[in-house]
């Protein structure tokens, strides 16, 4: 296999260290609503899912009804915290710059939140016009649906089989694999936990890295080896 036709980055937990910030807010609100959970437990169990999906899963599993107003409260408070606290993950600017071909972002976050975070951490110039939110796809389905990945590949005229995705969550990896793409797991954000790398490998990542400094060599090595 030659160089990738497209390299897709997840944003939260791959480009920016935002997952643990969101998890802290979400855990506070869920606990206040009667479902005690820590930020660490929430990040480990539900990373990569929208808060709406997290609420629905907890409602099914624990039979606790939640108020729909919690969605707006979480969005408001997470945005507030991210604006003040979010940072780029170490080495990400150099790693992204090393991708000389087509690159994109595929995320479950809203376009507005993505724009705010990318601007704050000075990554926006690398991804002008190639930021894809699952909320803005024709189906609107979030990961683990493959739709946002397939939408990006179609928009950028890239073969999914020759596309690499960098993901930190099981649900993101599942979506990328359903899209027919190859996946590199990432465990370099603050929400990582013991067993994280093993979980990503079991979900379908071909390999897992914990430093962005390792990404260029990993892409080169995997690109030289085709699964076909």
């Amino acid at each position: 296999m030659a160089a990738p036709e497209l390299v897709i980055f997840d944003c939260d937990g791959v480009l920016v260290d935002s997952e643990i910030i969101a998890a802290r807010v979400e855990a506070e609100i869920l606990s206040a609503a009667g479902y005690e959970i820590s930020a660490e437990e929430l990040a480990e169990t539900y990373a990569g899912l929208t808060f709406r999906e997290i609420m629905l899963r907890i409602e099914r599993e624990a039979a606790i009804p939640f108020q729909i107003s919690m969605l707006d409260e979480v969005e408001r408070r997470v945005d507030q915290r991210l604006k003040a606290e979010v940072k780029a993950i170490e080495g990400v600017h150099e790693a992204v710059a090393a991708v000389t071909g087509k690159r994109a972002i595929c995320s479950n976050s809203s376009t507005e939140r993505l724009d705010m975070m990318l601007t704050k951490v000075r990554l926006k110039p690398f991804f002008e016009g190639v930021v894809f939110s699952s909320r803005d796809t024709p189906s609107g389905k979030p990961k683990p649906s493959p739709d946002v990945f397939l939408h990006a590949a179609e928009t950028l005229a890239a073969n999914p089989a020759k596309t690499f995705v960098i993901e930190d969550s099981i649900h993101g990896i599942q979506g990328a694999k359903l899209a027919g793409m190859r996946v590199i797991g990432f465990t370099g954000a603050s929400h990582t936990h013991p067993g994280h790398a093993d979980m990503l490998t079991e979900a379908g990542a071909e390999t897992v890295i914990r430093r962005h400094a390792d990404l260029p060599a990993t892409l080169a090595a995997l690109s030289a080896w085709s699964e076909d």
Side-chain angles (χ1 to χ4, degrees):
M1 177 176 173
E5 291 190 11
L6 173 63
V7 176
I8 294 175
F9 293 85
D10 178 38
C11 186
D12 298 284
V14 172
L15 298 177
V16 297
D17 204 0
S18 56
E19 285 283 8
I20 192 63
I21 296 172
R24 287 168 182 155
V25 173
E26 292 165 358
E28 289 170 6
I29 290 177
L30 287 169
S31 295
Y35 186 77
E36 290 289 339
I37 188 170
S38 68
E40 292 73 21
E41 182 183 0
L42 189 145
E44 180 176 345
T45 306
Y46 300 108
L49 294 178
T50 64
F51 187 66
R52 177 185 291 275
E53 183 61 27
I54 293 171
M55 283 177 56
L56 290 173
R57 292 193 180 198
I58 292 173
E59 282 186 328
R60 290 194 298 266
E61 295 163 5
I64 296 177
F66 293 125
Q67 297 294 321
I68 194 68
S69 60
M70 288 169 60
L71 289 171
D72 290 336
E73 178 68 6
V74 162
E75 287 287 308
R76 183 187 66 79
R77 286 174 57 181
V78 169
D79 279 338
Q80 187 178 56
R81 292 279 295 274
L82 290 173
K83 286 177 184 178
E85 300 175 25
V86 74
K87 296 180 180 179
I89 293 176
E90 183 179 357
V92 70
H93 295 86
E94 294 81 1
V96 171
V99 178
T100 56
K102 294 178 183 177
R103 63 172 86 97
I105 291 172
C106 286
S107 173
N108 277 348
S109 288
S110 68
T111 298
E112 293 77 16
R113 179 177 291 172
L114 291 167
D115 186 73
M116 178 271 292
M117 293 191 297
L118 294 171
T119 299
K120 180 174 173 60
V121 303
R122 297 178 292 104
L123 280 168
K124 187 175 178 179
F126 291 105
F127 296 102
E128 291 287 357
V130 290
V131 178
F132 299 91
S133 167
S134 62
R135 306 183 192 192
D136 296 331
T137 61
S139 72
K141 293 181 180 178
K143 305 173 191 175
S145 165
D147 292 13
V148 68
F149 295 112
L150 293 172
H151 179 64
E154 181 180 4
T155 301
L156 298 174
N159 181 350
K162 296 182 179 180
T163 296
F164 278 94
V165 178
I166 322 302
E167 272 284 356
D168 69 303
S169 74
I170 292 172
H171 305 100
I173 290 173
Q174 290 172 340
K177 296 297 287 185
L178 287 170
M181 297 175 178
R182 302 176 67 181
V183 188
I184 297 170
F186 182 74
T187 60
S190 296
H191 70 288
T192 195
H193 53 84
H196 191 181
D198 290 339
M199 292 170 62
L200 300 185
T201 300
E202 291 169 7
E206 292 183 41
T207 191
V208 178
I209 60 174
R210 64 179 183 83
R211 303 184 313 153
H212 277 304
D214 296 328
L215 181 59
T218 301
L219 278 171
L222 292 180
S223 296
W225 175 75
S226 172
E227 292 183 318
D228 297 333

